[in-house]
PDB file of all heavy atoms in Angstrom:
ATOM      1  N   ASN A 169     -20.162  38.464 -15.243  1.00  0.00           N
ATOM      2  CA  ASN A 169     -19.081  37.504 -14.912  1.00  0.00           C
ATOM      3  C   ASN A 169     -19.654  36.423 -13.946  1.00  0.00           C
ATOM      4  O   ASN A 169     -19.163  35.334 -13.896  1.00  0.00           O
ATOM      5  CB  ASN A 169     -17.960  38.202 -14.269  1.00  0.00           C
ATOM      6  CG  ASN A 169     -17.418  39.273 -15.165  1.00  0.00           C
ATOM      7  OD1 ASN A 169     -17.771  40.496 -15.018  1.00  0.00           O
ATOM      8  ND2 ASN A 169     -16.587  38.943 -16.098  1.00  0.00           N
ATOM      9  N   VAL A 170     -20.570  36.842 -13.021  1.00  0.00           N
ATOM     10  CA  VAL A 170     -21.137  35.997 -12.018  1.00  0.00           C
ATOM     11  C   VAL A 170     -22.627  36.175 -11.969  1.00  0.00           C
ATOM     12  O   VAL A 170     -23.110  37.224 -11.994  1.00  0.00           O
ATOM     13  CB  VAL A 170     -20.484  36.378 -10.632  1.00  0.00           C
ATOM     14  CG1 VAL A 170     -21.095  35.466  -9.558  1.00  0.00           C
ATOM     15  CG2 VAL A 170     -18.990  36.238 -10.670  1.00  0.00           C
ATOM     16  N   VAL A 171     -23.352  35.038 -11.871  1.00  0.00           N
ATOM     17  CA  VAL A 171     -24.759  35.083 -11.660  1.00  0.00           C
ATOM     18  C   VAL A 171     -25.055  34.218 -10.400  1.00  0.00           C
ATOM     19  O   VAL A 171     -24.694  33.010 -10.364  1.00  0.00           O
ATOM     20  CB  VAL A 171     -25.577  34.567 -12.855  1.00  0.00           C
ATOM     21  CG1 VAL A 171     -27.061  34.553 -12.563  1.00  0.00           C
ATOM     22  CG2 VAL A 171     -25.254  35.397 -14.098  1.00  0.00           C
ATOM     23  N   LEU A 172     -25.807  34.785  -9.478  1.00  0.00           N
ATOM     24  CA  LEU A 172     -26.108  34.111  -8.229  1.00  0.00           C
ATOM     25  C   LEU A 172     -27.643  33.879  -8.131  1.00  0.00           C
ATOM     26  O   LEU A 172     -28.413  34.442  -8.827  1.00  0.00           O
ATOM     27  CB  LEU A 172     -25.684  34.925  -7.031  1.00  0.00           C
ATOM     28  CG  LEU A 172     -24.302  35.378  -6.930  1.00  0.00           C
ATOM     29  CD1 LEU A 172     -24.126  36.399  -5.801  1.00  0.00           C
ATOM     30  CD2 LEU A 172     -23.427  34.206  -6.694  1.00  0.00           C
ATOM     31  N   ASP A 173     -27.970  32.914  -7.250  1.00  0.00           N
ATOM     32  CA  ASP A 173     -29.443  32.726  -6.953  1.00  0.00           C
ATOM     33  C   ASP A 173     -29.880  33.886  -6.116  1.00  0.00           C
ATOM     34  O   ASP A 173     -29.211  34.254  -5.170  1.00  0.00           O
ATOM     35  CB  ASP A 173     -29.622  31.423  -6.213  1.00  0.00           C
ATOM     36  CG  ASP A 173     -31.127  30.964  -6.104  1.00  0.00           C
ATOM     37  OD1 ASP A 173     -31.980  31.923  -6.199  1.00  0.00           O
ATOM     38  OD2 ASP A 173     -31.382  29.826  -5.837  1.00  0.00           O
ATOM     39  N   ALA A 174     -31.077  34.350  -6.347  1.00  0.00           N
ATOM     40  CA  ALA A 174     -31.606  35.530  -5.646  1.00  0.00           C
ATOM     41  C   ALA A 174     -31.648  35.250  -4.130  1.00  0.00           C
ATOM     42  O   ALA A 174     -31.496  36.223  -3.329  1.00  0.00           O
ATOM     43  CB  ALA A 174     -32.988  35.976  -6.175  1.00  0.00           C
ATOM     44  N   GLN A 175     -31.826  34.019  -3.765  1.00  0.00           N
ATOM     45  CA  GLN A 175     -31.938  33.733  -2.288  1.00  0.00           C
ATOM     46  C   GLN A 175     -30.556  33.951  -1.604  1.00  0.00           C
ATOM     47  O   GLN A 175     -30.508  34.134  -0.419  1.00  0.00           O
ATOM     48  CB  GLN A 175     -32.339  32.302  -2.095  1.00  0.00           C
ATOM     49  CG  GLN A 175     -33.843  32.087  -2.408  1.00  0.00           C
ATOM     50  CD  GLN A 175     -34.294  30.684  -2.239  1.00  0.00           C
ATOM     51  OE1 GLN A 175     -33.484  29.806  -2.159  1.00  0.00           O
ATOM     52  NE2 GLN A 175     -35.562  30.486  -2.089  1.00  0.00           N
ATOM     53  N   ALA A 176     -29.509  33.906  -2.326  1.00  0.00           N
ATOM     54  CA  ALA A 176     -28.128  34.093  -1.731  1.00  0.00           C
ATOM     55  C   ALA A 176     -27.748  35.557  -1.703  1.00  0.00           C
ATOM     56  O   ALA A 176     -26.741  35.900  -1.180  1.00  0.00           O
ATOM     57  CB  ALA A 176     -27.096  33.301  -2.586  1.00  0.00           C
ATOM     58  N   VAL A 177     -28.509  36.409  -2.247  1.00  0.00           N
ATOM     59  CA  VAL A 177     -28.240  37.877  -2.421  1.00  0.00           C
ATOM     60  C   VAL A 177     -28.996  38.634  -1.318  1.00  0.00           C
ATOM     61  O   VAL A 177     -30.218  38.545  -1.199  1.00  0.00           O
ATOM     62  CB  VAL A 177     -28.622  38.409  -3.799  1.00  0.00           C
ATOM     63  CG1 VAL A 177     -28.451  39.890  -3.849  1.00  0.00           C
ATOM     64  CG2 VAL A 177     -27.812  37.690  -4.907  1.00  0.00           C
ATOM     65  N   LEU A 178     -28.216  39.297  -0.508  1.00  0.00           N
ATOM     66  CA  LEU A 178     -28.832  40.220   0.549  1.00  0.00           C
ATOM     67  C   LEU A 178     -29.314  41.519   0.005  1.00  0.00           C
ATOM     68  O   LEU A 178     -30.330  42.089   0.445  1.00  0.00           O
ATOM     69  CB  LEU A 178     -27.878  40.433   1.727  1.00  0.00           C
ATOM     70  CG  LEU A 178     -27.502  39.113   2.413  1.00  0.00           C
ATOM     71  CD1 LEU A 178     -26.432  39.484   3.519  1.00  0.00           C
ATOM     72  CD2 LEU A 178     -28.702  38.457   3.088  1.00  0.00           C
ATOM     73  N   PHE A 179     -28.540  42.099  -0.850  1.00  0.00           N
ATOM     74  CA  PHE A 179     -28.925  43.341  -1.512  1.00  0.00           C
ATOM     75  C   PHE A 179     -28.339  43.358  -2.948  1.00  0.00           C
ATOM     76  O   PHE A 179     -27.254  42.947  -3.145  1.00  0.00           O
ATOM     77  CB  PHE A 179     -28.338  44.515  -0.714  1.00  0.00           C
ATOM     78  CG  PHE A 179     -28.628  45.878  -1.414  1.00  0.00           C
ATOM     79  CD1 PHE A 179     -29.850  46.458  -1.395  1.00  0.00           C
ATOM     80  CD2 PHE A 179     -27.574  46.424  -2.185  1.00  0.00           C
ATOM     81  CE1 PHE A 179     -30.086  47.614  -2.073  1.00  0.00           C
ATOM     82  CE2 PHE A 179     -27.825  47.616  -2.900  1.00  0.00           C
ATOM     83  CZ  PHE A 179     -29.116  48.233  -2.756  1.00  0.00           C
ATOM     84  N   ALA A 180     -29.163  43.894  -3.855  1.00  0.00           N
ATOM     85  CA  ALA A 180     -28.689  44.115  -5.207  1.00  0.00           C
ATOM     86  C   ALA A 180     -29.636  45.056  -5.924  1.00  0.00           C
ATOM     87  O   ALA A 180     -30.814  45.208  -5.548  1.00  0.00           O
ATOM     88  CB  ALA A 180     -28.600  42.779  -5.961  1.00  0.00           C
ATOM     89  N   SER A 181     -29.070  45.696  -6.892  1.00  0.00           N
ATOM     90  CA  SER A 181     -29.914  46.542  -7.710  1.00  0.00           C
ATOM     91  C   SER A 181     -30.855  45.757  -8.562  1.00  0.00           C
ATOM     92  O   SER A 181     -30.479  44.719  -9.063  1.00  0.00           O
ATOM     93  CB  SER A 181     -28.953  47.395  -8.624  1.00  0.00           C
ATOM     94  OG  SER A 181     -29.699  48.136  -9.521  1.00  0.00           O
ATOM     95  N   LYS A 182     -32.071  46.323  -8.782  1.00  0.00           N
ATOM     96  CA  LYS A 182     -33.080  45.619  -9.684  1.00  0.00           C
ATOM     97  C   LYS A 182     -32.520  45.474 -11.060  1.00  0.00           C
ATOM     98  O   LYS A 182     -32.880  44.561 -11.805  1.00  0.00           O
ATOM     99  CB  LYS A 182     -34.347  46.470  -9.662  1.00  0.00           C
ATOM    100  CG  LYS A 182     -35.227  46.206  -8.522  1.00  0.00           C
ATOM    101  CD  LYS A 182     -35.901  44.940  -8.583  1.00  0.00           C
ATOM    102  CE  LYS A 182     -36.921  44.788  -7.505  1.00  0.00           C
ATOM    103  NZ  LYS A 182     -37.427  43.404  -7.369  1.00  0.00           N
ATOM    104  N   SER A 183     -31.575  46.380 -11.439  1.00  0.00           N
ATOM    105  CA  SER A 183     -31.088  46.302 -12.810  1.00  0.00           C
ATOM    106  C   SER A 183     -30.185  45.029 -13.067  1.00  0.00           C
ATOM    107  O   SER A 183     -29.945  44.663 -14.198  1.00  0.00           O
ATOM    108  CB  SER A 183     -30.230  47.614 -13.133  1.00  0.00           C
ATOM    109  OG  SER A 183     -29.120  47.671 -12.254  1.00  0.00           O
ATOM    110  N   ASP A 184     -29.720  44.436 -11.910  1.00  0.00           N
ATOM    111  CA  ASP A 184     -28.999  43.193 -12.022  1.00  0.00           C
ATOM    112  C   ASP A 184     -29.851  41.966 -11.900  1.00  0.00           C
ATOM    113  O   ASP A 184     -29.321  40.864 -11.867  1.00  0.00           O
ATOM    114  CB  ASP A 184     -27.865  43.224 -10.976  1.00  0.00           C
ATOM    115  CG  ASP A 184     -26.752  44.272 -11.212  1.00  0.00           C
ATOM    116  OD1 ASP A 184     -26.533  44.483 -12.456  1.00  0.00           O
ATOM    117  OD2 ASP A 184     -26.348  44.831 -10.279  1.00  0.00           O
TER     118      ASP A 184
END
Side-chain angles (χ1 to χ4, degrees):
N169 304 96
V170 177
V171 178
L172 303 171
D173 188 341
Q175 290 181 340
V177 176
L178 297 176
F179 174 78
S181 170
K182 282 284 189 191
S183 64
D184 292 323

